[in-house]
Amino acid sequence: MKKLKPTLTLICSLTLVGCFDSTFSNSSVDRWIDNPTANEIKVTIDDKELTIPAKSGIKYAFEYGKHTLKYNGDSLTFMAKPSISNNTGFINPTQSNYILLTTFYTNSDKVYEEMIKPYLKIIQVSVNGEPAEMELPVKIINDVFIEKNGNSWDYSVDEELPDSVTVRGENQYQAHKRKMYRESDFLDTINSEDIDEKVSLPYTPKKFSEIKKYVLPTIDLDKIECQEGREFLESQLQDWNKFFTTKGSESGDTYNQLTSHETFKKKHSLCSGQDPNHTYQWATREIEDVMDGLRQINFYVTE
């Protein structure tokens, strides 16, 4: 395999288009549906068919609650919900590659080399059709729902990565920024007209049925030995079912109540000294293991 190391300073000079900002209400979230391909595509949200222009996208309002997405003969079910912190992102129905690039700014080449080192990854690519490797400070993302929380970027595809930044504060000598690229725009920075070798990335979309789904676990309430814990979890499961089966503000308000600080305090104050086998704690943990990791995002795949 051939191993290439491109000049990293090439990746600082694009002006791109797009808009991945999101807007929220107490009942819905607007999210950009992006199409980075060279041809327009058809996407169906619930029963509404949308035409997404080539190398562009549209903003679409999703009521909180359960929805379906269909593309290219495949279908998935997902939840739209509030996030406990500010979030944005975009939807990638073609499961195209997006590139999250980390760039350091410093006046010292030595500092740059040391700072960038932990971010360098060996990326499998093709060069003129032949397998090869490149070492780059990037993360390749091709999820259907690409959420900023968890992938944090400073510049989205519609924003230019600056050639320089100003740092403030005593002894400040470096800063780093992260930018999201569409694959074709990123490769334009590598495939210079002055270089004969042309790099491409593998395209490996999953079947929608193969994407990880987050589903509330089945809890056997009869096995919970602490009565107050059993009654509390029974009401919680009823509320979770309400979240999954309602729309708009009703779904959003139910989710906010389920994940509130007050609910957290009550949940962890029950059954102290009354449950020697920890049956309540284990049942609670089953739910937390699935749902707590989704608190900072707005979309996730379910059944």
Side-chain angles (χ1 to χ4, degrees):
M1 261 189 189
K2 190 173 185 179
K3 185 174 180 180
L4 304 176
K5 187 172 181 180
T7 303
L8 298 177
T9 54
L10 288 174
I11 311 171
C12 292
S13 61
L14 288 181
T15 302
L16 306 172
V17 295
C19 180
F20 290 175
D21 290 338
S22 300
T23 55
F24 302 84
S25 73
N26 67 341
S27 62
S28 66
V29 52
D30 291 350
R31 189 55 56 93
W32 182 262
I33 305 174
D34 198 51
N35 172 20
T37 73
N39 302 299
E40 73 174 23
I41 62 173
K42 303 287 186 182
V43 174
T44 300
I45 302 295
D46 301 325
D47 294 322
K48 185 173 182 179
E49 185 176 80
L50 308 173
T51 299
I52 315 296
K55 295 188 176 180
S56 185
I58 64 171
K59 186 173 281 190
Y60 189 82
F62 295 88
E63 271 194 303
Y64 293 142
K66 190 174 288 188
H67 298 272
T68 59
L69 182 153
K70 297 178 182 177
Y71 170 69
N72 198 28
D74 212 349
S75 176
L76 61 76
T77 301
F78 65 95
M79 293 296 298
K81 66 173 190 63
S83 168
I84 64 168
S85 58
N86 291 334
N87 186 36
T88 185
F90 56 98
I91 299 175
N92 173 28
T94 61
Q95 297 179 82
S96 298
N97 294 328
Y98 288 80
I99 315 301
L100 185 58
L101 169 76
T102 299
T103 297
F104 273 88
Y105 295 83
T106 176
N107 292 325
S108 166
D109 290 340
K110 182 178 179 180
V111 169
Y112 179 83
E113 292 295 331
E114 288 301 314
M115 290 294 174
I116 204 69
K117 191 181 299 181
Y119 295 87
L120 294 174
K121 297 179 181 178
I122 301 298
I123 305 300
Q124 305 301 315
V125 301
S126 294
V127 177
N128 295 336
E130 297 295 325
E133 294 178 340
M134 296 184 75
E135 188 176 36
L136 290 169
V138 300
K139 177 182 179 182
I140 300 176
I141 305 168
N142 56 13
D143 300 324
V144 174
F145 300 103
I146 299 178
E147 302 280 279
K148 187 171 182 180
N149 285 343
N151 293 301
S152 180
W153 58 81
D154 301 289
Y155 304 96
S156 70
V157 298
D158 61 326
E159 297 172 305
E160 236 182 298
L161 187 66
D163 292 326
S164 62
V165 297
T166 300
V167 295
R168 293 179 173 83
E170 189 176 357
N171 299 322
Q172 289 294 313
Y173 56 88
Q174 57 86 18
H176 77 277
K177 300 293 182 182
R178 285 156 61 99
K179 174 171 170 53
M180 184 69 76
Y181 286 90
R182 292 189 178 112
E183 178 184 57
S184 59
D185 297 319
F186 179 78
L187 290 178
D188 283 346
T189 70
I190 296 174
N191 293 326
S192 167
E193 292 180 359
D194 300 327
I195 301 175
D196 292 333
E197 295 175 317
K198 299 302 178 186
V199 176
S200 61
L201 299 177
Y203 176 57
T204 56
K206 294 180 179 179
K207 292 182 180 179
F208 284 170
S209 61
E210 297 173 347
I211 296 174
K212 182 178 179 179
K213 299 173 178 61
Y214 293 88
V215 181
L216 197 67
T218 299
I219 304 296
D220 188 347
L221 295 171
D222 291 336
K223 290 186 177 180
I224 299 175
E225 298 170 2
C226 168
Q227 181 177 346
E228 61 178 356
R230 182 168 62 250
E231 292 173 350
F232 174 77
L233 277 188
E234 183 177 16
S235 69
Q236 289 282 285
L237 291 173
Q238 290 172 352
D239 285 343
W240 277 114
N241 183 63
K242 182 179 178 181
F243 162 65
F244 277 101
T245 56
T246 55
K247 290 277 192 179
S249 59
E250 188 173 10
S251 178
D253 290 346
T254 301
Y255 182 81
N256 287 332
Q257 182 271 321
L258 282 163
T259 57
S260 68
H261 182 60
E262 290 74 17
T263 298
F264 177 86
K265 286 197 301 182
K266 182 175 181 180
K267 177 172 60 177
H268 290 283
S269 68
L270 300 178
C271 299
S272 176
Q274 304 175 44
D275 187 17
N277 294 316
H278 307 292
T279 55
Y280 168 71
Q281 287 83 356
W282 284 113
T284 299
R285 188 174 298 174
E286 280 192 70
I287 298 174
E288 292 175 342
D289 286 347
V290 175
M291 305 310 296
D292 278 13
L294 305 173
R295 287 160 58 88
Q296 296 195 45
I297 62 177
N298 294 106
F299 295 86
Y300 68 87
V301 179
T302 188
E303 290 182 348

